[in-house]
Amino acid sequence: IVRTVTVKTPPARAFELFTAQIGRWWPAGKTVGKTHAAIVIEPRNGGRWYERDAEDVEIQWGRVIEWAPPSRLLLAWQLDSAWTYDPDFVTEVELSFAPATGGGTLITLEHRNLERFGDAAEKIAGQLGGGWPSRMADFADFANADATTKV
């Protein structure tokens, strides 16, 4: 799955908004937990990627494979076909943040290794392929609103 979006903010700011403020732009109801309070990407190689629900229960999504601001983020998606964290299961979500022609940032998301879902691969690819465009649009709206308030 490959999706792109262009935002009005420079790469360093786009990277910061995507990672440090993911809980502000990722919509409630589109997470693993029943009640979403926060989503966290710990800013380092080996950091955790998780959500915390309203009762302070943490639900692991994966981990940071490579933290390379402001241009690249590689995450291990460790949610299996039942949307349950499995420390032995990994697909990869790579994000690149590149200067866009005319200003702003071109963000490319690639979610790969989906064949690792086995018999459920086609179904999960369909779900993720339908979800990632919406999440990227949510992020673009958030980043562009941030860029507008900074002018």
Side-chain angles (χ1 to χ4, degrees):
I1 297 169
V2 178
R3 298 291 181 258
T4 60
V5 67
T6 301
V7 297
K8 298 174 186 174
T9 192
R13 182 66 178 156
F15 187 97
E16 177 189 349
L17 291 170
F18 191 97
T19 58
Q21 297 191 41
I22 189 170
R24 291 188 58 208
W25 61 264
W26 194 287
K30 299 296 181 182
T31 60
V32 179
K34 292 180 179 160
T35 57
H36 142 239
I39 301 172
V40 178
I41 299 173
E42 294 178 338
R44 61 183 165 77
N45 292 345
R48 297 179 309 140
W49 179 22
Y50 64 95
E51 70 178 278
R52 184 178 307 115
D53 70 14
E55 287 79 41
D56 270 348
V57 174
E58 291 182 359
I59 302 162
Q60 193 84 4
W61 289 11
R63 62 184 160 74
V64 177
I65 297 171
E66 185 176 343
W67 179 264
S71 60
R72 184 170 185 255
L73 175 65
L74 181 59
L75 299 167
W77 175 282
Q78 295 180 275
L79 298 175
D80 62 19
S81 61
W83 302 97
T84 302
Y85 175 73
D86 179 348
D88 297 321
F89 179 80
V90 175
T91 61
E92 294 176 345
V93 177
E94 180 174 10
L95 293 123
S96 65
F97 299 78
T101 303
T105 303
L106 173 66
I107 303 163
T108 302
L109 175 142
E110 179 181 358
H111 194 154
R112 58 181 173 248
N113 308 121
L114 301 181
E115 70 280 357
R116 294 178 182 169
F117 284 105
D119 292 341
E122 188 175 328
K123 175 185 171 197
I124 297 297
Q127 291 172 329
L128 293 169
W132 280 124
S134 297
R135 295 304 70 75
M136 295 299 283
D138 294 333
F139 174 70
D141 290 345
F142 181 77
N144 289 335
D146 178 79
T148 302
T149 62
K150 301 286 184 212
V151 174

